[in-house]
Amino acid sequence: MAFASDEVGNYPKVGVGLAGFGSVGAGVYKHLQRNRRLLAERLGIELTVRRIVVRDASKKREPQPPRELFVSHWRELIADPEVQIVVELIGGVEEAFALVTDALRAGKIVVTANKALLAEHGQEIFKLAESKGVPVLFEAAVAGGIPIIKAVQEGFIGNRIESAHGIINGTCNYILTRMANERGLTYQAALAEASALGYAEADPTLDVSGWDAAHKAIILASLAYGFWVPPGDVYVHGIQGITAEDFVHAKRLGYNIKLLAILKAHADGAVEVRVHPTMIPHDHLLAEVDGVFNGILLWGDVVGETLFYGRGAGQDATSSAVLSDLAQAATDLIRDNEPNRFRPHGLYGRCLPIEQIRSEYYLRLSVKDQPGVLAGVAGILANRQIGISSVLQPPPMYPSNIPNPTASPEDLPALPAADSTGTHQHVDLILMLHFATHRQITEALEEISRLPYVSSDPKPALIHVEHLPE
Ligand SMILES: NC(=O)c1ccc[n+]([C@@H]2O[C@H](COP(=O)([O-])OP(=O)(O)OC[C@H]3O[C@@H](n4cnc5c(N)ncnc54)[C@H](OP(=O)(O)O)[C@@H]3O)[C@@H](O)[C@H]2O)c1
């Protein structure tokens, strides 16, 4: 969707330095441009990319930023007075550590998506940030597009986190989902599939060994429990040993197998932090988090159970998390101490009346069981350009013949024999309808309701059908 104009008002500007322009860096740049005006209107601040650093500045990029934005070393990016927020997206640990600590020493706010860096050096980084009075933001480091960091830091601030169970590695979850769904599929075959689809790195060890999930678990546990969890204290077991037979047995026993990161708090102050393949009841919502998706079930002593679901990696989901950190950082810089508030802006601004809203529909009519009924109803719909996607005429339902939902087709009740009085009995006629406005469908329904063979008891029922985003 495009707004009428991309012209940004006269807002204070905050300069961003992008260290790294790979999958995530390019995504952040692209979406910062795309939602530039929306962000500016929401924040009352304009975020502007001032500098970019990569290893090879001559590489063609998509999108291609202006050449003059590129510098040859990240030290130049940090040294630039126009860069107020440094976004570390180079990955790896030691170089990223040097970059982040130099940025903090220079008093620049740091945004990073680097879970390995935080898991290994979180304690030193946050100590330095504290001493410099500069924030480090890392929403993208855990579960990609799911805002779990802000949920733990803000939404659940009044809760003791009793436990968290997370599917937080999309590669492993893809492999395990495929093994669960295709009987006999081996781990190696599922991994090869994940690689072919680009869901696994050329060297998938960090993912399948469980360590990528462990890095994220360490960050979550450290936030939840207030001390930096030493990586050596975390039990980590990967998915390489899971066989096709394990899935057959698990299914028979009513379970699914997932790589779970598990956090649990004990009354004596000890905590569990572990990552390993885990059998969970197959009908639990977490067991249905499939493919590359992530899911986190978090239990707070005040809120109870909450479930988060979404894309845990990928350019767009990760960029979404980085943008939220950038917005927070910019707000901290410009509006220090200003309370959270609602900022009205003019990018949207009217609610569509229901008459104009388009939807698909389920229409249930009670009609006399006689020839010509369907043609009559379909004619009225066609006159108003409403298409029918399917028609169903089930046998009448009496309390005594409502079928068991698990019944096989031959157990379904037979259509009752013709009425002995010779009059036509009423039967349900179900129509699934293509998109139409509310006005179109209500006018059509008024006309249909007046047909002599359409009953008013029960009245026609119209239910909106939504195909949810996949
Ligand atoms: N990809 C995801 O879905 C995802 C999800 C969550 C978190 N993350 C995290 O986000 C970070 C970035 O991931 P990515 O997938 O975007 O990585 P990537 O595609 O490999 O991109 C890395 C970028 O950093 C640049 N770079 C590497 N070392 C550098 C150095 N020493 N100096 C300057 N530039 C350097 C590279 O330059 P060239 O382009 O010239 O090679 C490249 O532009 C990682 O910490 C990763 O764990 C990624």
Side-chain angles (χ1 to χ4, degrees):
M1 185 193 107
F3 294 122
S5 149
D6 272 341
E7 207 52 46
V8 174
N10 195 15
Y11 294 119
K13 290 187 169 44
V14 164
V16 175
L18 284 182
F21 203 85
S23 173
V24 184
V28 170
Y29 182 83
K30 176 175 74 179
H31 292 296
L32 260 181
Q33 307 303 317
R34 188 172 165 272
N35 283 348
R36 189 166 149 258
R37 181 154 177 232
L38 178 72
L39 272 161
E41 297 289 353
R42 282 192 175 149
L43 297 172
I45 301 167
E46 190 182 347
L47 285 157
T48 311
V49 175
R50 300 281 191 202
R51 291 283 171 256
I52 298 172
V53 66
V54 288
R55 268 180 307 218
D56 176 4
S58 65
K59 224 191 253 178
K60 263 207 85 52
R61 310 273 165 184
E62 183 48 47
Q64 178 64 59
R67 288 277 165 215
E68 62 272 17
L69 292 187
F70 286 89
V71 290
S72 53
H73 195 276
W74 51 259
R75 286 205 179 84
E76 285 174 63
L77 179 142
I78 292 172
D80 190 322
E82 291 207 313
V83 170
Q84 291 153 287
I85 307 170
V86 172
V87 187
E88 184 280 302
L89 299 169
I90 67 170
V93 175
E94 295 317 323
E95 185 98 17
F97 181 60
L99 189 163
V100 163
T101 48
D102 271 18
L104 291 173
R105 281 191 205 96
K108 312 265 161 140
I109 298 184
V110 169
V111 172
T112 178
N114 193 331
K115 54 252 170 185
L117 170 70
L118 294 179
E120 289 189 31
H121 290 296
Q123 190 160 20
E124 298 136 278
I125 290 172
F126 283 91
K127 202 165 161 206
L128 177 62
E130 180 80 30
S131 74
K132 292 285 173 190
V134 182
V136 176
L137 303 167
F138 49 98
E139 185 62 71
V142 182
I146 302 175
I148 190 70
I149 299 294
K150 288 188 180 63
V152 172
Q153 286 178 322
E154 295 170 18
F156 300 134
I157 191 78
N159 284 256
R160 294 164 189 241
I161 306 298
E162 306 279 10
S163 66
H165 292 80
I167 294 171
I168 49 180
N169 182 278
T171 308
C172 290
N173 203 44
Y174 177 82
I175 293 170
L176 296 179
T177 302
R178 286 291 297 121
M179 291 175 78
N181 292 350
E182 190 175 320
R183 200 184 163 100
L185 190 72
T186 64
Y187 164 77
Q188 286 302 343
L191 171 61
E193 232 182 63
S195 303
L197 290 168
Y199 297 150
E201 301 279 337
D203 176 4
T205 314
L206 193 64
D207 291 316
V208 298
S209 67
W211 268 102
D212 175 79
H215 288 149
K216 298 166 185 166
I218 288 169
I219 296 170
L220 265 191
S222 303
L223 284 183
Y225 302 124
F227 69 100
W228 276 95
V229 172
D233 289 359
V234 179
Y235 173 80
V236 185
H237 192 95
I239 62 167
Q240 303 96 320
I242 306 280
T243 65
E245 290 71 32
D246 290 328
F247 277 97
V248 174
H249 301 316
K251 198 170 258 181
R252 197 169 284 145
L253 294 163
Y255 291 94
N256 199 348
I257 305 173
K258 295 289 186 189
L259 181 77
L260 283 196
I262 299 175
L263 317 182
K264 279 187 194 173
H266 289 244
D268 65 358
V271 298
E272 296 174 28
V273 185
R274 50 197 167 97
V275 173
H276 47 70
T278 312
M279 285 205 190
I280 53 177
H282 78 94
D283 55 355
H284 191 281
L285 277 174
L286 212 49
E288 291 173 19
V289 174
D290 276 348
V292 291
F293 277 82
N294 280 199
I296 301 171
L297 181 74
L298 188 140
W299 193 286
D301 67 335
V302 183
V303 68
E305 192 179 45
T306 56
L307 181 68
F308 296 79
Y309 172 83
R311 288 185 189 277
Q315 184 176 67
D316 294 338
T318 313
S319 298
S320 165
V322 173
L323 290 186
S324 96
D325 282 349
L326 281 173
Q328 187 181 331
T331 310
D332 281 357
L333 274 169
I334 300 287
R335 305 193 188 285
D336 202 16
N337 294 328
E338 188 171 325
N340 280 339
R341 71 232 177 291
F342 165 69
R343 267 189 63 87
H345 61 73
L347 294 184
Y348 303 90
R350 74 186 179 97
C351 292
L352 208 57
I354 185 69
E355 293 74 29
Q356 293 173 25
I357 289 175
R358 287 167 58 76
S359 172
E360 293 171 280
Y361 303 91
Y362 157 103
L363 174 61
R364 173 171 48 74
L365 303 170
S366 179
V367 295
K368 278 191 190 147
D369 195 9
Q370 65 181 45
V373 168
L374 181 57
V377 171
I380 291 175
L381 292 167
N383 284 343
R384 294 177 191 273
Q385 281 79 47
I386 303 173
I388 299 173
S389 59
S390 58
V391 177
L392 184 71
Q393 190 162 19
M397 296 287 172
Y398 304 110
S400 59
N401 72 356
I402 289 174
N404 174 338
T406 58
S408 60
E410 55 275 15
D411 294 334
L412 289 171
L415 199 62
D419 193 315
S420 58
T421 64
T423 54
H424 294 287
Q425 60 179 347
H426 280 90
V427 291
D428 277 350
L429 175 63
I430 313 287
L431 298 143
M432 299 301 287
L433 304 178
H434 285 305
F435 278 97
T437 63
H438 193 78
R439 175 173 294 134
Q440 274 173 296
I441 189 68
T442 44
E443 286 174 0
L445 192 50
E446 272 170 29
E447 203 178 324
I448 288 169
S449 302
R450 289 196 295 271
L451 291 171
Y453 40 77
V454 172
S455 168
S456 57
D457 183 23
K459 285 199 305 205
L462 185 70
I463 300 178
H464 290 253
V465 176
E466 282 283 322
H467 290 110
L468 301 172
E470 286 181 18

